[in-house]
Amino acid sequence: MGVPYHRQLADKQALAARALHAVGPDIRWAEPFASAESGYRNKAKWVVGGDEKNPSIGILDENREGIDLRRCGICEPALIDAFPALVDFIARTGLVPYDVNRRRGDIKYLIVTASPQGELLVRFVLRSLDRLEEIRRRLPDLQSALPQLAVASVNLHPEHKAVLEGDQEIVLTEQSTLLMRLGDVGLHVGPQSFFQTNTAVAAGLYRQAAAWAAQIAPTSVLDLYCGVGGFALHCAPASANTIHGVEVSADAVSSARRSAADLPDPDRFTFDADDAATQRLDADLVIVNPPRRGLGATVADRIEAGAARHVVYSSCNPATLATDLARMPSLNPVEAKLFDMFPQTTHVEVAVLLERR
């Protein structure tokens, strides 16, 4: 923060290029895809602090007391506008903020996602279900205050440990997914599904991958770590008879299947909840979007030994991307583009097109 935005982009491009130079000295780098400098984040993951009469949403300080960030400049306007009503709902419902030091209280986190159309998915992460019926009873009041509320849920997180959510999710509304419409493709996002936090940049990333897929004209596409199907549903050129996605999250796979069902040709798409390391890698085009740790040796080695003529690799960590590319020497990185998913930070997202030598 404080560095002029054009410098931020240039620095990130240089960082990514340096990281990949040893494995791809001849990569053609496109112009970076820029983001809005503020108001870009579509999801807020706030700790609920303060007390039951005056709850805060934001982060904890060094004493584990709440710092309120409801006016945070990186959040989309739809989130900023919704926060006062949500804080008021927490107070009116009698939800006691979880006290980390004393290990008592009701609500730990508030997680809110906004769609491009301004609809909201709201999750209340609770220590127990003691206040569940009170939340249900008062939910119509929240819906009246926030007509844009599309999905509301309670996540049960009873353990005292530094993770954001638990396994059990209870959807409180008739609608169970938030529709993120990006051009001609609508992506259904469930409460526990991953979606890129910068909608405009995610749309640009998907368009680039789709352009590469159209250029390649594969007969089959395999999307590993597919999430809610963003890449698979965008990278479906007419040449591809089958587009298959794999993701460990059952919630995300359910969302991807629902999104595919809305398309004119849903039969071309299949999605499975499974481990990427167990898949047959025999598609013409393999798309990978792994977490920060990268593909790892098992998956990278299998792609190297596989039959894919092309790979599209979307990475949020140039260091692990470089390590993975070094494990796949028969796949030559020919084109790359940086996507500024997280302005005002040093984090980068890079998409690379690989072609078998």
Side-chain angles (χ1 to χ4, degrees), residues 290-317:
R292 283 188 62 79
R293 65 178 179 272
L295 298 175
T298 300
V299 177
D301 290 349
R302 294 193 66 200
I303 293 175
E304 166 66 15
R309 294 183 298 117
H310 293 90
V311 173
V312 171
Y313 192 138
S314 178
S315 168
C316 61
N317 187 343

Side-chain angles (χ1 to χ4, degrees), residues 112-272:
V112 191
T113 305
S115 77
Q117 294 71 42
E119 291 189 321
L120 300 175
L121 186 161
V122 176
R123 303 173 67 202
F124 302 97
V125 181
L126 305 182
R127 183 188 180 196
S128 75
L129 299 181
D130 292 349
R131 307 294 295 174
L132 176 60
E133 293 310 312
E134 183 66 9
I135 292 174
R136 286 189 194 275
R137 188 178 73 82
R138 290 182 175 270
L139 188 61
D141 295 337
L142 181 59
Q143 292 170 311
S144 178
L146 286 178
Q148 64 272 40
L149 177 61
V151 185
S153 69
V154 162
N155 178 271
L156 179 61
H157 179 9
E159 297 178 88
H160 181 82
K161 62 181 182 180
V163 296
L164 194 64
E165 61 189 56
D167 295 330
Q168 184 179 355
E169 197 85 24
I170 303 168
V171 177
L172 307 177
T173 49
E174 182 177 351
Q175 187 171 326
S176 60
T177 60
L178 184 69
L179 183 61
M180 309 287 283
R181 184 160 292 285
L182 307 179
D184 296 331
V185 178
L187 298 174
H188 288 272
V189 176
Q192 293 185 309
S193 300
F194 169 78
F195 184 79
Q196 300 282 7
T197 56
N198 189 323
T199 305
V201 177
L205 175 62
Y206 294 145
R207 286 195 299 270
Q208 178 61 71
W212 281 335
Q215 169 189 320
I216 293 164
T219 59
S220 56
V221 177
L222 174 63
D223 182 5
L224 300 179
Y225 314 92
C226 71
V228 296
F231 282 104
L233 296 171
H234 282 85
C235 300
S239 58
N241 299 317
T242 59
I243 302 99
H244 183 58
V246 177
E247 165 64 46
V248 293
S249 167
D251 185 76
V253 166
S254 176
S255 296
R257 289 171 177 166
R258 184 171 177 182
S259 299
D262 293 339
L263 295 179
D265 51 356
D267 292 343
R268 286 202 297 160
F269 299 90
T270 56
F271 295 93
D272 284 335

